[in-house]
Amino acid sequence: MAKIKVTTDAAVKVGDIPLGFTAQPGSTRNFKTGDWRSARPALDREKCIYCGFCYIYCPDGVYKDMGPEEKYYQPDLDFCKGCGVCAAECPKKCIQMVVEEV
Amino acid sequence: MSACIGSSAAGARTFTATSSQGLLLMAEMTFIAPALRLPIVMAVANRAISAPINIWNDHSDVMTIRDCGWIQIFVENGQEATDMSIIAFRIAEDKNVMLPVILNLDGFTLSHFIEPIIFPEQEKVRRYLPAYETTHKLDIAKPISMGLLGAPEVYTEARKATDDALVASKSRIVKAFDEFADIFGRKYNLVETYRAEDAETIIVLMGSIAETAMTAVDEMRDAGQKVGLARLRLWRPFPIEELRAAVKGAKRLAIVDRHISLGFPEGPVATEIRALLFHDQDRPRISNFILGLGGRDVPRDHFKYIVERAEELGDAGRQGHYEMVGVLE
């Protein structure tokens, strides 16, 4: 046996891979892709007119409608990949992409 | 192939057939079916690939997807093509296998020729091949997701699981061949040999040219030459032990490829066998011959020639590069 112990970030054993690599529906919710992000959207609520462009344009559907009382949309940062489409499409330019500090 | 994957994922027994450019067009999807463990059967009438445009027989189409993860069988004649089209489903749908199968039959030589065969009786086929029941399928009542993302934390394990399944299928392929023999009386092996027992030189090849090669072996045997033939019927998973047993004791192997790995001095069949035998103490001298490309006729004298060339190398000679037989230079 080799003395060197190999480092690995493996999460599942070969023998535990399900036949055909299938999964239960909705399992993607458990897979938090937000950590791929290098910048996150920051909303200036003073300028926001609650138009819903960010909600509609977001390719990952991470924006949540906070309702007619709050009058804004909030991104779920567990899944926002920081693409910046919301900031680019916002007609009031009230979304700024802020670089994530590690 | 996308439609076939959908059909099989929905739980249906699925068959398709293709060739040459059509296979390359679906190459992307062929790698997905084994990982999803979908037991599709695909007949590939092996033909050359462009350029230049050519619709005739060689093995260059399927060799481009050599590593796709399907079980791959090469047949010799019309009878075997017929029998294997039934056996392929039996292998693929085995609950211990659940992998797709490529049935390679030489384009034109087998796909467009008329020859007498014994047609398998319906009652025996029903007995041999029960109705298909899947192990996992897309079902509205019990939904599952297929075709998932495999991030770096799991991709390696998923690929290993597919390779393990492919390698493990070999014993089930043998079982399917044996049970076919019990019912239909025709016995198939993973590697077929012909007059190879005491042969000093063994021709190794795949596909329909084996029939011509056997005639050539008979003629060489009549002339006192110790020559035999080994034909790989199973290409994936590679029948390692069976190939080793088939060529045991031979001094020389003349390995035939019907495909060029452009830029490499050997074809894939020769490269793989050389690699497998490399660490063996008494490994034979291996020489590689590329012939029968794009429908070029392969007569008996090709086999006599390659045996002579392999013997000319002697006990110490090295070929070093494939030799293309019958090429006009």
Side-chain angles (χ1 to χ4, degrees):
Chain A
M1 286 292 284
K3 291 193 184 84
I4 293 173
K5 189 169 164 49
V6 173
T7 54
T8 176
D9 55 359
V12 185
K13 286 182 182 172
V14 173
D16 292 335
I17 298 284
L19 186 91
F21 203 66
T22 60
Q24 295 305 305
S27 58
T28 303
R29 283 196 206 98
N30 305 325
F31 187 52
K32 305 257 190 295
T33 47
D35 62 359
W36 301 3
R37 189 175 57 239
S38 59
R40 72 186 142 83
L43 173 68
D44 181 349
R45 284 184 63 185
E46 294 293 313
K47 287 196 252 174
C48 175
I49 57 167
Y50 191 44
C51 68
F53 271 35
C54 55
Y55 175 84
I56 290 164
Y57 277 100
C58 175
D60 265 318
V62 304
Y63 273 94
K64 186 184 174 191
D65 184 354
M66 300 305 283
E69 300 281 314
E70 295 282 341
K71 289 187 185 303
Y72 77 105
Y73 295 85
Q74 189 174 53
D76 184 342
L77 294 179
D78 277 348
F79 299 100
C80 169
K81 296 193 186 73
C83 69
V85 168
C86 54
E89 295 296 338
C90 176
K92 292 294 173 187
K93 298 294 167 209
C94 62
I95 300 173
Q96 298 298 315
M97 296 306 291
V98 181
V99 174
E100 293 278 9
E101 302 292 341
V102 181
Chain B
M1 182 48 54
S2 291
C4 290
I5 288 171
S7 160
S8 188
R13 177 173 278 166
T14 304
F15 176 87
T16 190
T18 189
S19 192
S20 186
Q21 307 301 127
L23 178 67
L24 268 62
L25 203 61
M26 63 165 88
E28 176 192 3
M29 301 307 293
T30 59
F31 285 71
I32 293 170
L36 301 192
R37 306 293 294 275
L38 299 173
I40 302 162
V41 175
M42 173 165 68
V44 177
N46 301 121
R47 292 183 183 183
I49 51 177
S50 298
I53 296 168
N54 178 295
I55 60 169
W56 293 272
N57 171 220
D58 68 27
H59 295 164
S60 51
D61 55 2
V62 79
M63 285 303 170
T64 63
I65 58 157
R66 183 188 64 167
D67 300 336
C68 66
W70 292 50
I71 292 167
Q72 295 193 45
I73 293 167
F74 278 83
V75 304
E76 180 181 284
N77 53 37
Q79 184 68 60
E80 196 182 328
T82 308
D83 291 347
M84 284 297 157
S85 66
I86 297 160
I87 296 170
F89 280 106
R90 173 68 188 266
I91 295 166
E93 295 169 0
D94 183 330
K95 296 283 188 291
N96 296 298
V97 177
M98 292 303 283
L99 284 167
V101 177
I102 293 175
L103 184 61
N104 289 294
L105 60 148
D106 283 329
F108 283 97
T109 316
L110 297 179
S111 66
H112 288 63
F113 267 60
I114 296 171
E115 61 179 299
I117 60 161
I118 302 163
F119 202 77
E121 301 90 328
Q122 184 76 57
E123 175 273 324
K124 286 184 179 175
V125 174
R126 285 220 171 91
R127 190 144 46 94
Y128 178 72
L129 183 66
Y132 172 49
E133 286 175 26
T134 183
T135 48
H136 58 305
K137 67 169 180 175
L138 299 176
D139 184 347
I140 294 167
K142 285 198 314 190
I144 55 167
S145 297
M146 284 188 182
L148 308 174
L149 176 79
E153 295 82 5
V154 71
Y155 183 84
T156 301
E157 286 69 26
R159 296 305 281 172
K160 182 69 163 55
T162 305
D163 189 46
D164 286 354
L166 185 57
V167 170
S169 71
K170 194 178 84 170
S171 65
R172 307 300 291 186
I173 296 167
V174 171
K175 186 168 182 284
F177 285 178
D178 288 348
E179 290 181 15
F180 186 87
D182 291 342
I183 294 177
F184 295 90
R186 290 185 289 282
K187 177 76 177 81
Y188 294 113
N189 299 299
L190 305 187
V191 178
E192 294 292 345
T193 56
Y194 183 71
R195 304 185 78 168
E197 294 78 24
D198 64 336
E200 292 180 356
T201 305
I202 295 179
I203 301 165
V204 184
L205 49 71
M206 302 198 295
S208 63
I209 58 171
E211 300 214 326
T212 311
M214 282 191 279
T215 309
V217 166
D218 283 342
E219 290 174 359
M220 286 183 275
R221 282 281 182 177
D222 288 347
Q225 293 174 267
K226 287 191 168 181
V227 179
L229 174 72
R231 173 169 73 92
L232 292 168
R233 176 175 282 115
L234 187 66
W235 172 235
R236 284 294 186 275
F238 196 96
I240 300 167
E241 293 80 11
E242 292 77 6
L243 183 276
R244 193 169 265 133
V247 302
K248 191 174 168 55
K251 289 180 181 169
R252 291 167 292 274
L253 302 185
I255 302 180
V256 174
D257 270 284
R258 304 194 64 196
H259 168 68
I260 312 177
S261 175
L262 295 168
F264 195 76
E266 276 185 339
V269 182
T271 300
E272 293 192 6
I273 294 173
R274 187 189 297 280
L276 286 168
L277 301 181
F278 184 76
H279 295 289
D280 291 9
Q281 283 294 325
D282 300 314
R283 66 178 187 272
R285 292 264 148 202
I286 288 173
S287 42
N288 182 211
F289 300 91
I290 291 179
L291 47 77
L293 296 184
R296 178 68 58 85
D297 213 14
V298 184
R300 283 166 294 171
D301 62 28
H302 277 36
F303 298 107
K304 294 176 184 173
Y305 175 80
I306 67 174
V307 167
E308 187 183 338
R309 292 290 290 151
E311 289 175 351
E312 275 175 5
L313 282 174
D315 292 336
R318 286 174 189 276
Q319 186 192 34
H321 197 286
Y322 69 76
E323 180 173 344
M324 197 171 266
V325 181
V327 65
L328 192 60
E329 288 186 294

